[in-house]
Amino acid sequence: MHLVDLWLTRSLSMCLLLQSFVLLILCFLSASMCPKGCLCSHTGGLNVSCSNANLTEIPRDLPSETVLLYLDSNQITSIPNEIFKDLHQLRVLNLSKNGIEFIDEHAFKGVAETLQTLDLSDNRIKSVHKNAFNNLKARARIANNPWHCDCTLQQVLWSMASNHETANNVICKTSVLDEHAGRPFLNAANDADLCDLPKKTTDYAMLVTMFGWFTMVISYVVYYVRQNQEDARRHLEYLKSLPSRQKKPDEADDISTVVLH
């Protein structure tokens, strides 16, 4: 019995030692795989923090098991196509407080359906491709950007999950309608369908063109009628100005003779 207890004690010690060794290896691997300038830790999954790391672009060596990724407060200016495509476990992505101006059409391909939180606030984003946020299920934060409110932005916001909340925080820096500049996008969209404006503009242009042609035709007809009236008046005055035809004396005698007979 003493031998059994001794064996169990040693086995338990070996198991604990082996477990510690495995965790140490995992920590070492995680640290070695962590992008330069970033800190990696395991808390309910791999958390990668690259905040305030003076990054000018998104690291391309991010660990595939990343769950939380913090890239805020850097100098990142763009989000390239498929940059996150291998991060199939990514749940939180923070890209706030950068200088982001461009988001490619397929920037979030591979993570659009798994992301729960996407923070793009406090950047320099004016517009995005209409498909940039396709299939995005995350609660997006896109406030404090110099948005240009137009049909494309309307399509983007209406296609996003929780779009009402997202649109309510978007302020139009500029707009296709000058009166919407400085106003929340939601108010602008309620006032006018921004995707219907080109059609209305085309309709107005066609109406103005048709009215112009109609006015020109009417003006020509009026001019033509007046010109004919003037010509007719002149011709009548000319006829009136001609001297009356005088009868010859012999013609008068012949007439008298005929009457007497």
Side-chain angles (χ1 to χ4, degrees), residues 197-246:
L197 293 179
K199 181 178 181 300
K200 288 183 178 180
T201 302
T202 303
D203 291 343
Y204 290 149
M206 290 182 62
L207 182 62
V208 170
T209 302
M210 291 177 64
F211 180 77
W213 278 104
F214 180 75
T215 302
M216 186 173 66
V217 171
I218 294 298
S219 300
Y220 177 77
V221 171
V222 171
Y223 170 79
Y224 180 77
V225 171
R226 287 183 176 177
Q227 187 67 30
N228 283 348
Q229 288 178 340
E230 182 67 19
D231 290 344
R233 185 184 63 80
R234 289 177 181 176
H235 184 67
L236 184 60
E237 289 179 353
Y238 171 75
L239 291 177
K240 288 180 178 181
S241 67
L242 293 176
S244 299
R245 184 182 178 186
Q246 300 294 327

Side-chain angles (χ1 to χ4, degrees), residues 132-149:
F133 296 138
N134 271 6
N135 303 317
L136 188 68
K137 307 301 182 185
R139 185 176 296 276
R141 299 171 186 151
I142 58 175
N144 297 327
N145 282 286
W147 289 106
H148 175 68
C149 293

Side-chain angles (χ1 to χ4, degrees), residues 10 13 17 40 94 106 118 128 163 178 198 202 219 221 241 243 260:
R10 289 184 177 180
S13 299
L17 183 61
C40 297
N94 189 340
H106 303 294
L118 172 63
V128 293
N163 57 60
D178 293 338
T202 303
S219 300
V221 171
S241 67
L260 291 176

